[in-house]
Amino acid sequence: MDLLRHLRHFVVVARELHFGRAAEALGMAQPPLSQSIQRLERELAVELFDRSRRQVRLTTAGQLLLGEAEELLAGELRVRHLMRQVRDGALGVFRAGVPPETPAVTLRALLDRLAAAAPGLDVDLHELTSAEQVRMLAERRLDAGLLQYPEEPAGLRFGPPVTVPVGVLLPRASPLARPREVALADLAGLDLVAAPRSTAPGWYDHVLDVCRRHGFTPGRVRPARNPEFIFGLLLAGGAVALEPESLARREPRIAWRPLVGRPLVKRTAAAWPDRAPHPAAPMFAQFAAEVLATVEPAPPAAVAPSARPWPVLFDATSD
């Protein structure tokens, strides 16, 4: 027996106290409505309406049931609304991974978008490399992540990718920083500072392959994950890094130059399991793509020459 459906019929009849008007309000014929009320009475073993007179009246049982039925039906609506929000990804916990180098302004913009669209969603962010995200997505310990291509493992769906050109990071004092573009072959003899292969094997191998094909075989690859550590190795001399321009904006002593022919681009896209995905995953992917495509860290504030703790070899605003 569909108790809620019969209770819904009962509440309308109880409010109208007229089977004809109640049937019209419910959009059904009167005989099926009468049968529904009779079935409810048989189920509850009580009479809900006094039909002994021309006017329909509630019995004591009917009066007591009306308040309970209205509360129960209101609860059903709340449950349906709650489950619809969960189904739409607007409620619950959403576990997402982001690369360690993601700028704070990007994270803030992404979280603001999610909060505005789904204020009841509890976003649990984790700072993870692409390799760590792939593993945790496979283990269902993450609901979505931001992966750097060419990591494209099976079993994942991908959102819209964002493509960013990769150039060379090097000290502003370096002669290689003078031209507007740098060829990979011009970097011969230098070391390459890069994230360890374990963080994103596909991207690591792709970068070295492109370097070799364009005449640059690094003397050695020096692992570094933290931007400050990367800058330190570059400023020590004898090494370069291949990264997007946004990273250079964090350090005035570091210059970014595009590569001749643009042989390297970094693609980032949200990914989530293709089976039983979290309802919020597509929304996260769309917002991530929009934020990554539009939000850039602000350039560092100008520093007065007298306040600089390093020798001024090239002015930070000269390029």
Side-chain angles (χ1 to χ4, degrees):
M1 176 184 179
D2 187 349
L3 179 61
L4 291 176
R5 181 170 65 88
H6 292 298
L7 287 175
R8 196 172 296 111
H9 293 169
F10 162 74
V11 168
V12 176
V13 176
R15 289 172 179 169
E16 295 290 342
L17 292 177
H18 191 283
F19 277 84
R21 290 195 300 269
E24 185 178 353
L26 288 165
M28 61 189 298
Q30 183 173 335
L33 175 59
S34 297
Q35 294 168 9
S36 176
I37 298 301
Q38 291 169 4
R39 185 170 182 184
L40 179 62
E41 289 177 323
R42 289 196 302 269
E43 179 71 21
L44 300 178
V46 294
E47 288 189 0
L48 301 173
F49 295 99
D50 181 0
R51 305 174 181 85
S52 61
R53 301 177 184 180
R54 297 183 63 181
Q55 184 179 4
V56 177
R57 294 183 179 180
L58 283 169
T59 63
T60 301
Q63 293 172 358
L64 293 173
L65 179 61
L66 180 57
E68 296 292 335
E70 289 177 329
E71 184 175 342
L72 186 59
L73 292 173
E76 181 206 14
L77 290 177
R78 289 194 297 270
V79 168
R80 291 184 180 276
H81 177 67
L82 182 67
M83 292 302 101
R84 183 166 57 250
Q85 288 184 294
V86 172
R87 187 174 63 251
D88 294 342
L91 282 181
V93 177
F94 181 69
R95 304 162 300 174
V98 295
E101 66 273 15
T102 306
V105 65
T106 301
L107 289 178
R108 174 64 184 273
L110 179 57
L111 289 173
D112 284 349
R113 293 278 191 97
L114 290 168
L121 188 65
D122 181 6
V123 182
D124 183 16
L125 280 184
H126 299 263
E127 185 184 43
L128 300 165
T129 66
S130 289
E132 291 169 334
Q133 291 183 54
V134 169
R135 183 176 67 255
M136 292 181 67
L137 285 167
E139 296 170 354
R140 309 297 292 203
R141 292 192 290 138
L142 271 188
D143 298 310
L146 286 179
L147 299 184
Q148 295 171 344
Y149 285 45
E151 300 287 349
E152 295 190 53
L156 295 180
R157 297 182 190 177
F158 285 84
V162 176
T163 301
V164 179
V166 171
V168 58
L169 297 182
L170 66 171
R172 289 187 181 277
S174 169
L176 290 172
R178 294 171 185 167
R180 306 306 300 180
E181 293 184 327
V182 175
L184 278 171
D186 295 338
L187 306 178
L190 296 173
D191 293 344
L192 177 64
V193 178
R197 186 179 185 277
S198 60
T199 63
W203 173 249
Y204 182 96
D205 294 343
H206 176 66
V207 169
L208 290 184
D209 180 61
V210 170
C211 287
R212 284 191 292 267
R213 286 191 283 108
H214 287 81
F216 172 40
T217 300
R220 61 173 173 157
V221 180
R222 304 171 71 174
R225 295 174 58 172
N226 185 284
E228 295 302 320
F229 189 51
I230 295 174
F231 298 148
L233 292 178
L234 298 183
L235 292 170
V240 295
L242 298 173
E243 298 287 347
E245 182 181 10
S246 58
L247 188 61
R249 295 179 179 177
R250 305 186 191 186
E251 172 51 68
R253 294 170 291 177
I254 295 295
W256 182 88
R257 295 292 179 266
L259 295 171
V260 174
R262 309 298 191 270
L264 272 175
V265 294
K266 179 171 284 189
R267 291 190 300 157
T268 303
W272 63 95
D274 59 4
R275 292 186 178 181
H278 192 290
M283 176 177 63
F284 172 82
Q286 185 60 45
F287 288 161
E290 293 171 0
V291 167
L292 289 173
T294 58
V295 177
E296 288 288 343
V303 181
S306 60
R308 288 174 173 149
W310 59 85
V312 181
L313 302 178
F314 289 87
D315 186 67
T317 60
S318 62
D319 63 330

